[in-house]
Amino acid sequence: MNENLIEGFEGTRKAGLIASATLDEVSSIIKPGITTKEIDNLCYEFINDHKGYSAPLFYRGYPKSCCTSANHIVCHGIPGDKILNEGDILNVDVTAYKNEWHGDTSRMFYVGDVSVKAKKLVEVTYNSLMKAIEILNKNIYLGDIGDTIQTYVEQEGFSVVKDFCGHGIGKRFHEEPNILHYGEKGTGQKLKEGMIFTIEPMINEGDYQTKVLKDGWTAVTKDKKLSAQFEHTVGITNDGCEIFTSSKKGLNFPPYKK
C-alpha cells in the first residue's frame, strides 16, 4: 500500500474511532422519555471533546450534529423535541471529522422492550451489513455487495431501500462511488486496494418505497411500516478489508449492556 493510501487509512481509522465511540456513549442514555435533541447534544459534545467536528452539522444546510431516525423514519431524521417511547427502535447516524478525514457510522437502538417483529428487522439489517463486509476484497465488484444484501434480506421477507445508498468517503464527506444495497453479481466497478467507502443498508419491514417530508431531509417509509439501518466505514486492503467504525467495547448490536 503506497503512502497516500496509508495516510487515508490512518486518518479514517482515527475519525472512525471517534464516531464509533460516540455511539458507544449514546447507548448509555437511550431510554424511554429522553428526546432526540438530548442525543444530538451528546454527539456534538463527545466529538468536540475528542478534538473532532460533527460533519453533518450545517452540511448542505442540515441543522444538527447527527441523524436520529425512529420507527418508520428510514434516514436523515432531524433531532428535536421528539420524546422516545417504550418499544421504539432508533437509528443514530454520526460522522466525525478529524484532521481532514471522515468516519461515518450508524447503529440501531432499542428503547426499552421492543416487539418481536422489530427485533427481527434489526437483526436482519445488521446481518445484511456484516454479510456484505465478509465478502469484501479487491477481486469483487460493487454489484456483489448489493446482490449479497438484497438476496439475504428478501429471503428473510423484508425489502431493501433503493432511494439511498452508501458512498465513497475520505477527505470529503460524500464522494464516488455510490454503494448500492441491491444489484447483480459481477456488475459495476471492481474494487481495488485503498478504496474507502460506507455500506449502510436501509431495510424496510414492508415495501421498499420511501418519501421525503417537507423539511427536505426526513425520509420515511410510504407504508409507515418500520425501517432499520446499520452503517460502517470500511477500507479495502490487499487481502480483505478493515472496518474503521467497529465498537471497541463490542457494542455493535442491541441490546447494549449497561
Side-chain angles (χ1 to χ4, degrees):
M1 191 178 291
N2 65 41
E3 289 186 9
N4 288 336
L5 298 184
I6 291 173
E7 179 193 6
F9 270 53
E10 289 179 347
T12 306
R13 197 175 290 129
K14 291 176 182 177
L17 181 62
I18 295 173
S20 63
T22 303
L23 293 183
D24 290 348
E25 197 72 12
V26 167
S27 71
S28 69
I29 68 165
I30 297 292
K31 63 181 180 179
I34 72 163
T35 65
T36 52
K37 181 166 60 178
E38 291 176 76
I39 297 170
D40 184 70
N41 289 340
L42 182 153
C43 291
Y44 175 82
E45 292 170 5
F46 186 89
I47 292 173
N48 188 63
D49 287 346
H50 287 77
K51 308 257 185 310
Y53 179 79
S54 295
L57 186 60
F58 307 130
Y59 179 75
R60 296 180 178 174
Y62 187 77
K64 297 293 182 177
S65 294
C66 70
C67 298
T68 51
S69 303
N71 300 326
H72 74 294
I73 299 177
V74 175
C75 60
H76 303 156
I78 301 173
D81 294 326
K82 174 181 171 54
I83 296 173
L84 297 180
N85 297 310
E86 182 86 16
D88 286 345
I89 59 172
L90 176 74
N91 178 271
V92 180
D93 190 342
V94 301
T95 304
Y97 181 67
K98 170 83 170 178
N99 297 335
E100 299 187 325
W101 295 94
H102 293 84
D104 189 1
T105 186
S106 81
R107 211 177 290 170
M108 294 299 298
F109 297 86
Y110 297 154
V111 183
D113 292 325
V114 305
S115 68
V116 172
K117 70 176 181 180
K119 288 182 178 179
K120 177 67 173 176
L121 174 65
V122 171
E123 178 184 354
V124 168
T125 304
Y126 179 75
N127 288 345
S128 75
L129 169 62
M130 299 313 295
K131 284 177 181 292
I133 289 175
E134 284 172 8
I135 70 165
L136 292 180
N137 66 72
K138 62 184 181 181
N139 296 312
I140 72 165
Y141 296 84
L142 288 179
D144 299 352
I145 297 171
D147 175 77
T148 297
I149 292 170
Q150 184 178 19
T151 298
Y152 168 70
V153 166
E154 292 179 354
Q155 285 174 348
E156 295 294 328
F158 299 110
S159 63
V160 178
V161 170
K162 298 181 178 180
D163 294 332
F164 303 94
C165 61
H167 52 90
I169 190 168
K171 289 190 172 182
R172 289 186 295 175
F173 194 168
H174 295 87
E175 56 190 36
E176 294 296 326
N178 289 331
I179 310 298
L180 303 182
H181 304 118
Y182 61 95
E184 297 181 12
K185 276 186 177 180
T187 63
Q189 180 181 346
K190 191 173 185 179
L191 303 190
K192 59 183 179 181
E193 183 181 3
M195 289 178 69
I196 299 174
F197 52 84
T198 71
I199 305 178
E200 46 187 295
M202 288 146 271
I203 309 303
N204 290 351
E205 175 195 1
D207 191 81
Y208 70 87
Q209 292 184 320
T210 69
K211 66 178 181 179
V212 176
L213 301 184
K214 291 180 179 178
D215 61 25
W217 286 101
T218 307
V220 300
T221 57
K222 278 192 175 181
D223 59 14
K224 297 185 178 179
K225 291 186 177 181
L226 296 175
S227 186
Q229 179 189 24
F230 283 89
E231 174 184 15
H232 276 312
T233 298
V234 298
I236 303 302
T237 63
N238 182 56
D239 57 358
C241 79
E242 177 176 346
I243 304 174
F244 296 113
T245 48
S246 188
S247 167
K248 298 302 182 185
K249 294 183 177 180
L251 305 178
N252 290 302
F253 183 83
Y256 306 107
K257 303 299 182 184
K258 297 293 188 289

